[in-house]
């Protein structure tokens, strides 16, 4: 195959990043723009989206949208026009054990992590299917397969997201639309600030990965560019782990070899 040098280039493609105001979303927007895409930085916090757009230095647009508002998601898909790449990073978590959870907290986590994904995949996926191409990328988590006390509802939504995306991959595939998930481990973002503030908790999570540390948000951006690009032209329905080996190793104990 010729043209390998251009496999990751995204010139001529329009990308929308939902949750671009901070963390992984911001880094995803920056990376997509750096590879040539025209990027729309969308976030509930329009000011944060504008700051990300300014950081790209490539004429990126900013757009305000509340993903918990189904009508607003549908309006965004209509107003933003032709979209080649859709990246969804927005998520929330309530760290409580199941017996301490109340229904309002459950609904809040499910509504954003799973309900908004449903709305986004439908609203942005329909025109991609009609046009005959596109790439949808959403963020799951290692918690879709590995759980711990206090992460039950979050884990359930991330597992549900994977199955929703796999179904979309199956249904959209004949039209040439690819749908994939990225599953990070622990990443230094605003969502994990509570853990990072506790030194013991921070060290425990760092020791759980094979690399012995947390990820930086920018270390997820390469996976986004890959799945958005022609380098992943035959990749759909996949869950790409970017977890520093967390799910590859068995616990923290390193036994003697003999």
């Amino acid at each position: 195959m010729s043209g390998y040098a251009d496999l990751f280039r995204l010139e001529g493609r329009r990308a929308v990043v939902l949750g671009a105001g901070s963390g992984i979303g911001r880094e995803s927007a920056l990376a997509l723009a750096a590879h040539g895409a025209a990027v729309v930085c969308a976030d509930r916090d329009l000011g944060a989206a504008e700051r990300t757009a300014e950081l790209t230095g490539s004429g990126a647009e900013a757009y305000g949208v509340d993903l918990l508002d189904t009508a607003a998601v549908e309006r965004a898909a209509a107003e933003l026009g032709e979209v080649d790449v859709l990246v969804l990073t927005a998520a929330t978590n309530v760290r409580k054990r199941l017996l301490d959870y109340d229904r309002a907290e459950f609904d809040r986590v499910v509504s954003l992590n799973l309900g908004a994904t449903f709305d986004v995949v439908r609203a942005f996926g329909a025109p991609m299917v009609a046009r005959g191409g596109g790439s949808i990328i959403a963020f799951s988590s290692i918690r879709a397969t590995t759980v711990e006390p206090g992460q039950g509802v979050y884990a359930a939504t991330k597992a549900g997201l994977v199955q929703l995306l796999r179904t979309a991959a199956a249904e959209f595939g004949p039209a040439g639309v690819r749908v994939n998930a990225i599953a990070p481990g622990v990443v230094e973002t605003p969502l994990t600030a509570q853990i990072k503030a506790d030194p013991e908790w921070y060290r425990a999570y760092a020791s759980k990965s094979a690399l012995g540390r947390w990820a930086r948000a920018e270390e997820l951006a390469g996976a986004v560019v890959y799945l958005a690009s022609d380098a992943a032209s035959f990749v759909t329905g996949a869950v790409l782990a970017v977890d520093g080996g967390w799910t590859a190793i068995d616990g923290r104990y390193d036994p003697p070899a003999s």
Side-chain angles (χ1 to χ4, degrees):
M1 179 179 177
S2 61
Y4 284 130
D6 297 324
L7 270 180
F8 294 90
R9 298 305 304 173
L10 297 169
E11 280 84 5
R13 301 185 200 184
R14 183 171 169 83
V16 173
V17 180
L18 300 171
S22 65
I24 295 169
R26 172 168 287 177
E27 299 302 329
S28 297
L30 296 176
L32 291 167
H35 283 77
V39 179
V40 177
C41 305
D43 200 279
R44 183 178 181 179
D45 183 341
L46 179 58
E50 290 172 339
R51 287 191 290 277
T52 300
E54 291 171 2
L55 287 170
T56 68
S58 61
E61 304 172 46
Y63 187 91
V65 60
D66 181 356
L67 296 181
L68 292 174
D69 182 340
T70 299
V73 172
E74 294 172 348
R75 186 164 56 250
E79 292 179 352
L80 292 175
E82 187 170 307
V83 175
D84 302 294
V85 178
L86 188 283
V87 181
L88 175 61
T89 69
T92 191
N93 193 7
V94 175
R95 294 178 179 276
K96 286 185 177 180
R97 294 179 181 243
L98 293 176
L99 297 183
D100 297 324
Y101 244 90
D102 62 41
R103 184 54 189 259
E105 292 166 333
F106 176 90
D107 289 343
R108 176 154 59 92
V109 175
V110 171
S111 292
L112 180 58
N113 296 3
L114 193 54
T117 301
F118 173 76
D119 289 339
V120 165
V121 167
R122 283 166 43 82
F124 285 87
M128 287 182 177
V129 168
R131 197 171 65 251
S135 174
I136 297 173
I137 305 158
F139 275 77
S140 180
S141 168
I142 58 170
R143 294 302 172 211
T145 53
T146 64
V147 300
E148 68 178 15
Q151 294 270 49
V153 177
Y154 179 81
T157 63
K158 291 303 186 177
L161 179 147
V162 166
Q163 294 301 80
L164 184 65
L165 294 184
R166 283 174 168 163
T167 303
E171 294 178 356
F172 300 175
V177 179
R178 298 183 295 107
V179 187
N180 292 288
I182 296 172
V186 289
V187 186
E188 295 189 358
T189 70
L191 189 62
T192 55
Q194 174 190 354
I195 304 169
K196 187 177 178 180
D198 184 322
E200 183 178 353
W201 204 348
Y202 184 87
R203 287 192 298 270
Y205 271 18
S207 70
K208 183 64 176 71
S209 78
L211 297 179
R213 62 177 178 83
W214 289 42
R216 301 182 303 276
E218 60 265 29
E219 292 182 293
L220 279 298
V224 172
V225 171
Y226 165 65
L227 291 173
S229 74
D230 290 342
S233 60
F234 202 61
V235 179
T236 194
V239 182
L240 177 56
V242 187
D243 64 358
W246 183 300
T247 52
I249 62 177
D250 182 19
R252 301 190 188 106
Y253 180 54
D254 188 7
S258 60

